[in-house]
Amino acid sequence: MWPRAGINCSLGLLRASRTAHSVWRGSTLRNFHTSYPLAHGEYEHKDPKSPDEVVNITYIDRNGKHNPIRGKVGDNVLYLAHRFGIDLEGACEASLACSTCHVIVDDEHFDLLEDPKEAEEDMLDLAPGLTTTSRLGCQIILEKKHEGMVLRLPAITRNFYVDGHVPKPH
């Protein structure tokens, strides 16, 4: 299967390439392309392809510093924070098993977000510093309507080391 999908091994690394395929379905020739899927957070490490994709948001860190970030439609708020060095942990890597990516959304944009799933609400119950506009960053996917959204990091989180050491994202 792998050789057909355009995967090549070089120096022991798995590399992907976009490959064109043609398949006959009855008397019709159908063309399609395949490419290797992106890993967690890899999409957020790509810049917007056009100005129409840009979504500007601001993270306010625990010290009150405003960090304006140029994201794009489809970015996950947790992985976008990792890309730009914002101290938003995400210990469970967006699997809805912790609350370390807890953010507080500004009132103006909170109602524009999709309603949280029950699993997210369960994890938010464990988050210290919970507010009425709290959400998990791993569950916020940017859309154009989120332009100008402000996300404040809570003063504390349960998973950071006591001595101030900040773990690096995986």
Side-chain angles (χ1 to χ4, degrees), residues 2-21:
W2 287 109
R4 286 187 180 163
I7 305 299
N8 302 313
C9 287
S10 174
L11 300 174
L13 300 173
L14 196 61
R15 293 200 177 153
S17 62
R18 188 168 164 89
T19 305
H21 299 278

Side-chain angles (χ1 to χ4, degrees), residues 14-67:
L14 196 61
R15 293 200 177 153
S17 62
R18 188 168 164 89
T19 305
H21 299 278
S22 298
V23 173
W24 284 98
R25 295 280 184 217
S27 61
T28 306
L29 180 64
R30 305 220 180 222
N31 297 312
F32 65 95
H33 294 272
T34 60
S35 59
Y36 193 69
L38 297 175
H40 283 295
E42 204 170 333
Y43 177 80
E44 288 73 12
H45 284 273
K46 297 181 183 293
D47 290 324
K49 293 179 182 172
S50 75
D52 294 338
E53 288 186 335
V54 174
V55 181
N56 294 296
I57 65 171
T58 301
Y59 292 91
I60 302 175
D61 68 18
R62 290 169 179 79
N63 299 320
K65 180 183 174 202
H66 288 63
N67 299 285

